[in-house]
Amino acid sequence: MITVDEALAELFALVSPVGTETVPLDRAAGRVLAQAVTALRDQPPFPASAMDGYAVRNSEVRPGAAFRIVGESAAGHGYDGSVGPGEAVRIFTGAPVPEGADRVVIQEDTARDGDTITLQDNIDPQGYVRPAGGDFRAGSVVQAARRLGPQDVALLAAMNIAEVPVSRRPVAALIATGDELVMPGETPSRDQIIASNSFGLKAMLEAAGAEARLLPIARDNLPSLRTAFTLAKGADLIVTIGGASVGDHDLVAPAAEEMGLNRSFYKVAMRPGKPLMAGRMGDATLIGLPGNPVSSMVCGQIFILPVIRAMLGLGEGPAPRQQRPLDADIGQNGPREHYMRAKLSDTGIAPYDRQDSSLLTVLALADALLVRPPHDAPRRAGEMVDYIPL
């Protein structure tokens, strides 16, 4: 068996960024910016008013000063003239500040009589003029690689970027295996269960930015597995679920090797998830997950999500960890790295009492994986431990 860190290093060696494509800005949210982009204009493109009021010369502002109103500047409809001595332009938020003016006096600090305003005694000292390019300048750069959130899309739109270079979505083919499986909605026999892992993994991969293809269930025989691997052609990543151990009915490895798998490793010193397999098969990376529901989902968090990030060009690295104090004592850990389903609280973190790898109810309640190193000594409440948020 190899360690989790060694398995991750092997997996990163099996994959590379999948390339780029250009998408319209309205389809860029959630995608990974693949190349740096530069602003095509200043923002704001002109000195702009930050408040409703009157644009005047700052040197003339004093209590009791009077100004003649010579025009109006509104958003999208600026004042074309210049503000001279003793003159003011009615101005609204976001409107261009006309030439000659360098101060906006808010309307609450004025008294208007026809076309004349008089400044009151307590004048707000702020100028309320947003300088041209105060947010960004033409040529300002948004660096890659980064996942684009709504705020990023708004920024790119303001920069007048209509199309965005993004990483292509890695295509992942999901193959659940086993004679015991039927699809949700079907009627299982007394010896069968519902296929759940592939649906959870599909949701996980798509949330991470991959395109997940759910293939038909492969049965526990070589012809069915060959058919499944044939259907997976064209995928960047093939994920099998179940059948990766060494029992009489565990035929994923023989079928994959028959179809050209160059296996990188098998078995990882972790729980849950020991019977993990990976390698290259043609143009795709294959990861064989264990069939226990919690094992496959935990391995998805620990191995597949970092692989997807690497394929998207976001760099190589393990699932990010955080630290919290324990809410309760925990005993000695065994020889394998343990990812315990745990619950976060306002004060810390505590593992659930039941850690069996078949218990999806516990996984659904968990919001963290508490990470125990191999042979970790007993821990007392209050000690700091590592965890991975879910």
Side-chain angles (χ1 to χ4, degrees), residues 20 32-37 142-145 165-166:
T20 64
V32 173
L33 185 67
Q35 300 166 8
V37 294
V142 177
Q143 298 287 353
V166 296

Side-chain angles (χ1 to χ4, degrees), residues 275-294:
L276 187 83
M277 176 183 68
R280 287 290 296 183
M281 191 165 73
D283 295 329
T285 297
L286 182 141
I287 301 177
L289 300 180
N292 276 326
V294 175

Side-chain angles (χ1 to χ4, degrees), residues 101-171:
D102 55 0
R103 171 81 176 267
V104 172
V105 178
I106 60 174
Q107 61 190 28
E108 293 88 344
D109 291 347
T110 67
R112 181 167 178 169
D113 183 10
D115 289 335
T116 300
I117 61 167
T118 302
L119 304 190
Q120 299 185 355
D121 290 339
N122 296 317
I123 303 170
D124 191 322
Q126 294 193 56
Y128 292 113
V129 175
R130 296 168 179 157
D135 192 359
F136 57 81
R137 293 279 186 183
S140 295
V141 177
V142 177
Q143 298 287 353
R146 61 190 291 169
R147 194 178 299 277
L148 296 172
Q151 65 275 19
D152 300 306
V153 173
L155 175 60
L156 293 171
M159 290 178 165
N160 204 21
I161 307 296
E163 294 183 325
V164 186
V166 296
S167 297
R168 179 174 65 79
R169 294 185 189 274
V171 177

